[in-house]
Amino acid sequence: MVSPGQVLAQQIVDTRMENDTAASRLRPEYDQPGVPAGSFLLYPTLSAEAAYNDNIYARSDIKQGDASITVRPQVTARSQWLHNELNVNASAQVDRYAKHTSENVETGQVGFNGRYDFGGEMALSADAMVSSNIEPRGSSGDTLFGAKPVAYGQVTADLKLDKAISKTRVTVSGHVDRYRYKPRELDGVPIDLSYRDFNYIEGKARVAQAVSPGVAAYLEVELDNNVYAHPAPGTGQRDSTQYAALAGVTFGINRLLQGEAALGYFHRNFRDGAFAPVSGLDYNLSLAWSPTRLTTINFAADKAFQRAPMLGIAGFEQQDFAINVTHEVLRNVLLRPGVAYTVADYVGSPFRDRFGSAQFGATWLLSQHWKMDASAAHRLGRYSDPTLSARNFNQNRVSVALTYRF
């Protein structure tokens, strides 16, 4: 029996509802069963991947190919409570190259997410994560050639309060990020990357109003603040504050169309008057369209301000576009083609970075405990700054991975 409160929640698009899509639907005969541990189920996995990359440095001047092995242990604990929810996750990744051992890296993360239901259609959600990461070769943040990949530690946390009132849903949320970059050594000389350390805090408020079952219109306002922890003297103060407003629509009553789309305006001011304010169109798109029960097509587009990895540059406006498809060929065989494109326009500079990728992946669910993944991908990067022409690249990578799910 569905309660009146549940009906109202569905009318304003309940983002926690179960999806019935090719990518997310339950497959009891192939889904990992989990290991009981009190009121939790544990989901440990261990994956091993063999790959070949024909341009591991993602450059055009020195093109080197190499084979690699990647091991990924992971464990997730999910609560099985009747009310409220808590999930804890820990994972690691160890990359080892056959010849270019300077590219060997280890990354990992530990985090949790949870939800507390107050009753009366009000809930508090939270998540936090501590991670050790690297800047991928060929990305805007990959600024050191001849040294190990740029590495950084990240702490991130979110808090969200959600309240449904009749056909209206009010959401207030906050987000914080803390990035700390690790020093590197280039030709025996220590390289201090602390000038890239920064703190980010963001607050949002959204009001959504149901316009029909499963469709809601919303207004959202946002305020964020970027602060660099260790600004370098004489290079400009890059701290900034942004406000934005978006109007959009959310979908989610059935598997045909889920997600949201929004348009709006943003304005960013910099502490240093040497950097002119930037403003303009803001947008966000995240939609999953399932034309049949066997196919799901995900569309994503987003515009965001990103910190610049070099001194003297305020930052860049990054626009990301992606289309990813999941198609169920057989109950236990999924095909996953996709394409992505990114444009980065530097503030106060004529330069623009462009990145593209295309990939084709497949997942074979062998049993509840075993699965196999294979993929082939092509990436490219183009830098308009002529002094960075060596960083223009084309890259091909193929991989096969086998995962055991305990």
Side-chain angles (χ1 to χ4, degrees):
M1 180 177 179
V2 179
S3 69
Q6 290 174 316
V7 172
L8 291 175
Q10 291 175 350
Q11 289 177 335
I12 49 180
V13 185
D14 188 347
T15 58
R16 291 175 288 147
M17 71 179 186
E18 179 180 283
N19 296 331
D20 181 24
T21 67
S24 63
R25 74 169 51 98
L26 297 177
R27 296 175 175 85
E29 67 273 37
Y30 296 108
D31 291 338
Q32 184 179 4
V35 179
S39 59
F40 285 81
L41 277 178
L42 303 182
Y43 296 88
T45 64
L46 181 61
S47 175
E49 177 190 74
Y52 181 79
N53 186 330
D54 73 349
N55 189 359
I56 61 172
Y57 297 120
R59 296 179 66 90
S60 57
D61 57 343
I62 300 178
K63 189 175 181 180
Q64 298 286 334
D66 204 352
S68 64
I69 295 291
T70 299
V71 177
R72 300 185 184 95
Q74 178 175 316
V75 61
T76 300
R78 298 176 185 169
S79 65
Q80 303 300 301
W81 307 327
L82 183 61
H83 301 287
N84 309 318
E85 180 182 346
L86 177 63
N87 304 308
V88 181
N89 176 272
S91 63
Q93 178 169 315
V94 179
D95 296 319
R96 291 293 181 267
Y97 284 81
K99 296 182 293 184
H100 300 81
T101 57
S102 63
E103 294 299 289
N104 293 346
V105 293
E106 302 85 34
T107 58
Q109 65 180 46
V110 177
F112 81 91
N113 65 78
R115 187 189 74 253
Y116 181 80
D117 296 313
F118 292 99
E121 294 299 329
M122 183 167 71
L124 179 68
S125 302
D127 64 72
M129 180 184 67
V130 179
S131 61
S132 176
N133 308 304
I134 64 164
E135 298 280 9
R137 291 298 192 189
S139 66
S140 294
D142 174 31
T143 56
L144 292 179
F145 176 65
K148 288 183 69 66
V150 174
Y152 63 92
Q154 180 183 0
V155 178
T156 184
D158 295 274
L159 190 65
K160 181 174 73 173
L161 182 64
D162 194 76
K163 170 67 176 177
I165 308 169
S166 185
K167 295 184 178 182
T168 303
R169 184 182 294 277
V170 179
T171 304
V172 179
S173 62
H175 173 83
V176 295
D177 268 318
R178 180 181 183 271
Y179 287 76
R180 293 295 182 267
Y181 281 79
K182 301 176 183 179
R184 281 295 187 241
E185 190 173 283
L186 183 60
D187 297 329
V189 179
I191 305 294
D192 182 10
L193 298 176
S194 63
Y195 68 88
R196 294 174 64 170
D197 295 351
F198 84 104
N199 304 311
Y200 175 82
I201 185 169
E202 171 191 273
K204 290 183 179 180
R206 174 186 289 197
V207 177
Q209 177 67 39
V211 295
S212 68
V215 179
Y218 71 85
L219 292 175
E220 181 177 275
V221 293
E222 172 194 325
L223 179 67
D224 72 49
N225 189 51
N226 284 279
V227 177
Y228 283 83
H230 307 289
T235 60
Q237 174 56 266
R238 297 184 292 167
D239 296 353
S240 64
T241 300
Q242 174 176 299
Y243 64 83
L246 289 165
V249 179
T250 63
F251 309 88
I253 196 61
N254 55 42
R255 65 174 172 81
L256 180 62
L257 189 63
Q258 300 174 42
E260 63 180 56
L263 286 174
Y265 174 84
F266 79 94
H267 182 87
R268 181 172 294 275
N269 288 312
F270 297 92
R271 306 284 192 276
D272 194 328
F275 300 121
V278 292
S279 58
L281 178 69
D282 200 4
Y283 59 85
N284 175 60
L285 173 71
S286 179
L287 292 177
W289 175 43
S290 299
T292 74
R293 296 193 74 250
L294 300 180
T295 304
T296 300
I297 306 173
N298 291 280
F299 302 90
D302 181 66
K303 186 177 184 180
F305 180 83
Q306 300 287 351
R307 65 202 184 282
M310 66 286 290
L311 293 169
I313 300 294
F316 56 89
E317 295 179 26
Q318 180 168 304
Q319 301 180 74
D320 295 299
F321 310 91
I323 301 176
N324 291 289
V325 180
T326 301
H327 178 67
E328 183 181 296
V329 180
L330 300 172
R331 181 71 171 169
N332 63 329
V333 178
L334 304 176
L335 302 182
R336 305 178 188 274
V339 294
Y341 181 67
T342 295
V343 180
D345 293 298
Y346 287 83
V347 175
S349 167
F351 299 129
R352 162 180 283 194
D353 299 342
R354 294 172 293 125
F355 306 95
S357 66
Q359 65 178 23
F360 187 89
T363 298
W364 182 15
L365 302 172
L366 301 170
S367 69
Q368 288 184 321
H369 296 290
W370 290 98
K371 75 166 184 171
M372 181 176 289
D373 293 279
S375 70
H378 176 76
R379 291 176 61 215
L380 61 84
R382 298 293 183 268
Y383 295 81
S384 62
D385 184 347
T387 66
L388 300 179
S389 60
R391 295 184 63 186
N392 294 334
F393 72 90
N394 288 280
Q395 182 188 76
N396 298 292
R397 185 178 188 271
V398 293
S399 67
V400 176
L402 184 64
T403 300
Y404 183 73
R405 304 177 293 175
F406 294 83

